Amino acid sequence: PGRLHSKDSELCKLAYQTEKSYVSYRGKQQTDGAPCFIEPNHTATNQDFFTLDTILRASGVDIDDCNVGTDNADSNSTITNTGSCQTYRDTGATLLLNIYWTDFAPYVGLVDPAYYYSPQLIAGSSFKQYIPFYKQYRSQRTLLNAHGIKIAVLLGGEFHTFNMLSFLITLTTAVGLLAVATTIVDLLMLYVLPEKERYQEAKYESTEEFERRNLVPSALNQLIFRSDRRQSGEENDGAYGRAGDEANELQDPLLEAVDTSISNSVI
């Protein structure tokens, strides 16, 4: 069943006494304060209905309140405690009854569809209808000038479903914005903020530079040095000699590769 959204605190308290006043249009938590959602009455066929007085009070007015700003009301007026005025009973009015559907609940997601009624009285409006009663057609008639509340029903709401195309568009947009945000933050941190030098030291790690272009000349020098040693028959001795032999052993694979490369070049 659809509940009626009410702004009238007295109406909410009255409905609370019969356990028909709720905090939300769905759920079982009750309240005695405004705004509230009032449980409807039901017909024999389980259809919702509210009295006209309940709908008007839920919109914040009473049928005997003064209708301010009406130009086409009758000359007769109703005397109230505040003086002479034209009431909604005299002038009539137009009331919008919005029926709002939804199948989504915050922090829950998709749920069973539910709806509620939200009445809204158009301020300064009036409604009347002339109804003719003929005793003899075209010669005698009785014209009834009827004033009342005209209810215009507006149906709307939200229904949700998953769409792959919308999901992909949203995902790619979010990823792109995230990349742009990261770039902007890095630029601000490295070039704009007061402590940008410290940020640069923290972001980039300084490492020892290795240049491969110096590797081959060094190997050639070692090869020439070893060739001279072989020709002169010199032998390494002492700590320096032992250290040199250990270094030569480590560099033998590279020297052999360079020796082979030189030999191939000579051939």
Side-chain angles (χ1 to χ4, degrees), residues 162-227:
F162 179 78
N163 186 284
M164 179 59 70
L165 180 60
S166 299
F167 171 75
L168 292 177
I169 293 175
T170 304
L171 179 62
T172 53
T173 303
V175 172
L177 291 176
L178 184 62
V180 171
T182 303
T183 303
I184 293 175
V185 171
D186 285 345
L187 292 175
L188 291 175
M189 178 181 68
L190 297 175
Y191 303 106
V192 177
L193 297 181
E195 298 184 358
K196 54 187 178 182
E197 292 80 7
R198 297 184 59 184
Y199 293 145
Q200 290 179 356
E201 294 177 0
K203 182 175 178 62
Y204 299 110
E205 180 181 1
S206 299
T207 58
E208 185 178 355
E209 183 179 3
F210 297 95
E211 297 182 358
R212 297 184 61 85
R213 63 177 180 269
N214 295 330
L215 204 58
V216 174
S218 177
L220 289 174
N221 293 334
Q222 291 291 337
L223 182 61
I224 295 172
F225 177 72
R226 291 183 63 179
S227 298

Side-chain angles (χ1 to χ4, degrees), residues 4-8 11 14-15 38-41 49-62 95 119:
L4 179 66
H5 181 245
S6 174
K7 304 175 183 178
D8 186 80
L11 183 61
L14 184 62
I38 301 174
E39 193 80 13
N41 302 313
F49 80 91
F50 300 93
T51 63
L52 179 60
D53 179 66
T54 300
I55 296 176
L56 287 175
R57 292 180 61 183
S59 64
V61 299
D62 188 86
L95 183 139

Side-chain angles (χ1 to χ4, degrees), residues 121-178:
L121 188 72
I122 299 179
S125 64
S126 63
F127 177 76
K128 65 180 179 180
Q129 185 176 9
Y130 293 102
I131 305 174
F133 296 93
Y134 288 94
K135 292 183 179 180
Q136 185 176 356
Y137 187 68
R138 294 286 184 177
S139 61
Q140 293 182 359
R141 72 172 183 176
T142 301
L143 188 61
L144 178 63
N145 185 3
H147 294 257
I149 305 299
K150 178 182 177 181
I151 299 178
V153 178
L154 299 178
L155 181 63
E158 297 178 355
F159 288 92
H160 301 77
T161 183
F162 179 78
N163 186 284
M164 179 59 70
L165 180 60
S166 299
F167 171 75
L168 292 177
I169 293 175
T170 304
L171 179 62
T172 53
T173 303
V175 172
L177 291 176
L178 184 62

